[in-house]
Amino acid sequence: MDLTHDMREFRFATDSPAEFSPGQYASVALGESGIVRSYSMSNLPNVDGQWHFQIRRVPGGAATGWLFGQSRIGDEVEIDGPYGLASLREHVRRDIVCVAGGSGLAPMVSVARGASAAGMLETGRLHFFYGAREPRDVCGDDLLRQLPQYQKAIRYCAVVSGAQRDRSAWSGETGYVHDAVARHLGADLDRYEFYFAGPPPMTEALQEMLMLQFRVPNRQLHFDRFY
């Protein structure tokens, strides 16, 4: 399933249940290519053995070259996992903020789906921010719309950095996604639980802003560094 011009959801099935926590990732060995990469799951744990990964094509990349260009239905991959510490904390009842960029969309969608399924959004709220380079890179809103709490307890905001050069191409938020988080949520950011995934410059800027500028405790920040 294509999500954007260069990002696609790949789905694999195993004979055993898919056991992981929302927000985690797995190591995936791609067929007989010898290529191994880490990808986050976008779906929820399930007894059917379904593993869904949202992957962005990297120009010249060996792994995405195989996935987008060579893989066929019926090809086998080896999935090892789960890994990662940035999984959903169901016991924490603070409002949730998910911040994603690129294929970091996958774990954040999984966190949102997990919060919905766990009943966390019956009383709490989830703010979902997606940072993109260009308008054509924006995605994720249609996936969140499938959740029953959309527009009730779930808010989605896309932020496009490249649109600052051409405002005619995009009428929504522009700039950097971490700045949009501060604009939308105000000064009391220490009352939220943060989950984020995406390119290192994005995650580093967000972490620095939250910890140094807004004094958000480290225990409320959840991310993995393999991106």
Side-chain angles (χ1 to χ4, degrees), residues 62-75:
T64 57
W66 186 88
L67 283 165
F68 282 78
Q70 302 176 37
S71 65
R72 298 292 182 268
I73 294 175
D75 285 348

PDB file of all heavy atoms in Angstrom, residues 62-75:
ATOM      1  N   ALA A  62      20.244  -0.190  -0.803  1.00  0.00           N
ATOM      2  CA  ALA A  62      20.176  -1.620  -1.136  1.00  0.00           C
ATOM      3  C   ALA A  62      18.896  -2.252  -0.610  1.00  0.00           C
ATOM      4  O   ALA A  62      18.240  -3.027  -1.310  1.00  0.00           O
ATOM      5  CB  ALA A  62      21.401  -2.335  -0.559  1.00  0.00           C
ATOM      6  N   ALA A  63      18.536  -1.922   0.636  1.00  0.00           N
ATOM      7  CA  ALA A  63      17.351  -2.541   1.237  1.00  0.00           C
ATOM      8  C   ALA A  63      16.070  -2.095   0.543  1.00  0.00           C
ATOM      9  O   ALA A  63      15.241  -2.924   0.151  1.00  0.00           O
ATOM     10  CB  ALA A  63      17.288  -2.212   2.726  1.00  0.00           C
ATOM     11  N   THR A  64      15.909  -0.796   0.390  1.00  0.00           N
ATOM     12  CA  THR A  64      14.674  -0.331  -0.239  1.00  0.00           C
ATOM     13  C   THR A  64      14.677  -0.609  -1.732  1.00  0.00           C
ATOM     14  O   THR A  64      13.619  -0.738  -2.345  1.00  0.00           O
ATOM     15  CB  THR A  64      14.441   1.168   0.028  1.00  0.00           C
ATOM     16  OG1 THR A  64      15.555   1.931  -0.441  1.00  0.00           O
ATOM     17  CG2 THR A  64      14.246   1.425   1.522  1.00  0.00           C
ATOM     18  N   GLY A  65      15.851  -0.747  -2.328  1.00  0.00           N
ATOM     19  CA  GLY A  65      15.907  -1.169  -3.724  1.00  0.00           C
ATOM     20  C   GLY A  65      15.325  -2.562  -3.881  1.00  0.00           C
ATOM     21  O   GLY A  65      14.586  -2.839  -4.831  1.00  0.00           O
ATOM     22  N   TRP A  66      15.632  -3.458  -2.928  1.00  0.00           N
ATOM     23  CA  TRP A  66      15.084  -4.813  -2.962  1.00  0.00           C
ATOM     24  C   TRP A  66      13.592  -4.792  -2.681  1.00  0.00           C
ATOM     25  O   TRP A  66      12.802  -5.439  -3.387  1.00  0.00           O
ATOM     26  CB  TRP A  66      15.798  -5.694  -1.928  1.00  0.00           C
ATOM     27  CG  TRP A  66      15.396  -7.139  -1.985  1.00  0.00           C
ATOM     28  CD1 TRP A  66      15.956  -8.115  -2.765  1.00  0.00           C
ATOM     29  CD2 TRP A  66      14.336  -7.766  -1.249  1.00  0.00           C
ATOM     30  NE1 TRP A  66      15.316  -9.320  -2.566  1.00  0.00           N
ATOM     31  CE2 TRP A  66      14.316  -9.143  -1.633  1.00  0.00           C
ATOM     32  CE3 TRP A  66      13.405  -7.326  -0.315  1.00  0.00           C
ATOM     33  CZ2 TRP A  66      13.404 -10.056  -1.110  1.00  0.00           C
ATOM     34  CZ3 TRP A  66      12.492  -8.235   0.214  1.00  0.00           C
ATOM     35  CH2 TRP A  66      12.500  -9.575  -0.176  1.00  0.00           C
ATOM     36  N   LEU A  67      13.182  -4.050  -1.654  1.00  0.00           N
ATOM     37  CA  LEU A  67      11.770  -4.030  -1.270  1.00  0.00           C
ATOM     38  C   LEU A  67      10.890  -3.435  -2.354  1.00  0.00           C
ATOM     39  O   LEU A  67       9.854  -3.999  -2.720  1.00  0.00           O
ATOM     40  CB  LEU A  67      11.601  -3.239   0.030  1.00  0.00           C
ATOM     41  CG  LEU A  67      12.006  -3.957   1.321  1.00  0.00           C
ATOM     42  CD1 LEU A  67      12.143  -2.961   2.458  1.00  0.00           C
ATOM     43  CD2 LEU A  67      10.985  -5.032   1.674  1.00  0.00           C
ATOM     44  N   PHE A  68      11.285  -2.279  -2.886  1.00  0.00           N
ATOM     45  CA  PHE A  68      10.452  -1.570  -3.851  1.00  0.00           C
ATOM     46  C   PHE A  68      10.591  -2.124  -5.269  1.00  0.00           C
ATOM     47  O   PHE A  68       9.642  -2.041  -6.055  1.00  0.00           O
ATOM     48  CB  PHE A  68      10.793  -0.082  -3.857  1.00  0.00           C
ATOM     49  CG  PHE A  68      10.217   0.697  -2.707  1.00  0.00           C
ATOM     50  CD1 PHE A  68      10.805   0.637  -1.453  1.00  0.00           C
ATOM     51  CD2 PHE A  68       9.092   1.489  -2.872  1.00  0.00           C
ATOM     52  CE1 PHE A  68      10.290   1.362  -0.383  1.00  0.00           C
ATOM     53  CE2 PHE A  68       8.559   2.212  -1.807  1.00  0.00           C
ATOM     54  CZ  PHE A  68       9.158   2.148  -0.555  1.00  0.00           C
ATOM     55  N   GLY A  69      11.759  -2.689  -5.581  1.00  0.00           N
ATOM     56  CA  GLY A  69      12.000  -3.074  -6.961  1.00  0.00           C
ATOM     57  C   GLY A  69      12.044  -4.554  -7.255  1.00  0.00           C
ATOM     58  O   GLY A  69      11.743  -4.970  -8.376  1.00  0.00           O
ATOM     59  N   GLN A  70      12.431  -5.363  -6.268  1.00  0.00           N
ATOM     60  CA  GLN A  70      12.655  -6.779  -6.540  1.00  0.00           C
ATOM     61  C   GLN A  70      11.704  -7.719  -5.805  1.00  0.00           C
ATOM     62  O   GLN A  70      11.439  -8.822  -6.283  1.00  0.00           O
ATOM     63  CB  GLN A  70      14.096  -7.157  -6.163  1.00  0.00           C
ATOM     64  CG  GLN A  70      15.155  -6.352  -6.897  1.00  0.00           C
ATOM     65  CD  GLN A  70      16.552  -6.696  -6.414  1.00  0.00           C
ATOM     66  OE1 GLN A  70      16.857  -7.842  -6.112  1.00  0.00           O
ATOM     67  NE2 GLN A  70      17.410  -5.681  -6.319  1.00  0.00           N
ATOM     68  N   SER A  71      11.221  -7.312  -4.655  1.00  0.00           N
ATOM     69  CA  SER A  71      10.393  -8.224  -3.859  1.00  0.00           C
ATOM     70  C   SER A  71       9.070  -8.520  -4.556  1.00  0.00           C
ATOM     71  O   SER A  71       8.520  -7.681  -5.270  1.00  0.00           O
ATOM     72  CB  SER A  71      10.137  -7.629  -2.474  1.00  0.00           C
ATOM     73  OG  SER A  71       9.358  -6.446  -2.566  1.00  0.00           O
ATOM     74  N   ARG A  72       8.579  -9.718  -4.332  1.00  0.00           N
ATOM     75  CA  ARG A  72       7.313 -10.157  -4.912  1.00  0.00           C
ATOM     76  C   ARG A  72       6.487 -10.863  -3.838  1.00  0.00           C
ATOM     77  O   ARG A  72       7.026 -11.355  -2.832  1.00  0.00           O
ATOM     78  CB  ARG A  72       7.557 -11.120  -6.079  1.00  0.00           C
ATOM     79  CG  ARG A  72       8.324 -10.505  -7.252  1.00  0.00           C
ATOM     80  CD  ARG A  72       7.490  -9.442  -7.960  1.00  0.00           C
ATOM     81  NE  ARG A  72       8.189  -8.874  -9.111  1.00  0.00           N
ATOM     82  CZ  ARG A  72       8.948  -7.787  -9.063  1.00  0.00           C
ATOM     83  NH1 ARG A  72       9.107  -7.144  -7.907  1.00  0.00           N
ATOM     84  NH2 ARG A  72       9.540  -7.334 -10.143  1.00  0.00           N
ATOM     85  N   ILE A  73       5.175 -10.911  -4.041  1.00  0.00           N
ATOM     86  CA  ILE A  73       4.311 -11.642  -3.119  1.00  0.00           C
ATOM     87  C   ILE A  73       4.790 -13.090  -3.025  1.00  0.00           C
ATOM     88  O   ILE A  73       5.018 -13.742  -4.046  1.00  0.00           O
ATOM     89  CB  ILE A  73       2.845 -11.595  -3.583  1.00  0.00           C
ATOM     90  CG1 ILE A  73       2.320 -10.154  -3.507  1.00  0.00           C
ATOM     91  CG2 ILE A  73       1.979 -12.511  -2.738  1.00  0.00           C
ATOM     92  CD1 ILE A  73       0.922  -9.980  -4.058  1.00  0.00           C
ATOM     93  N   GLY A  74       4.968 -13.568  -1.815  1.00  0.00           N
ATOM     94  CA  GLY A  74       5.461 -14.921  -1.598  1.00  0.00           C
ATOM     95  C   GLY A  74       6.922 -14.973  -1.209  1.00  0.00           C
ATOM     96  O   GLY A  74       7.393 -16.010  -0.721  1.00  0.00           O
ATOM     97  N   ASP A  75       7.669 -13.878  -1.418  1.00  0.00           N
ATOM     98  CA  ASP A  75       9.061 -13.840  -0.972  1.00  0.00           C
ATOM     99  C   ASP A  75       9.119 -13.934   0.548  1.00  0.00           C
ATOM    100  O   ASP A  75       8.244 -13.419   1.256  1.00  0.00           O
ATOM    101  CB  ASP A  75       9.735 -12.536  -1.425  1.00  0.00           C
ATOM    102  CG  ASP A  75      10.060 -12.534  -2.907  1.00  0.00           C
ATOM    103  OD1 ASP A  75       9.980 -13.609  -3.524  1.00  0.00           O
ATOM    104  OD2 ASP A  75      10.389 -11.457  -3.439  1.00  0.00           O
TER     105      ASP A  75
END
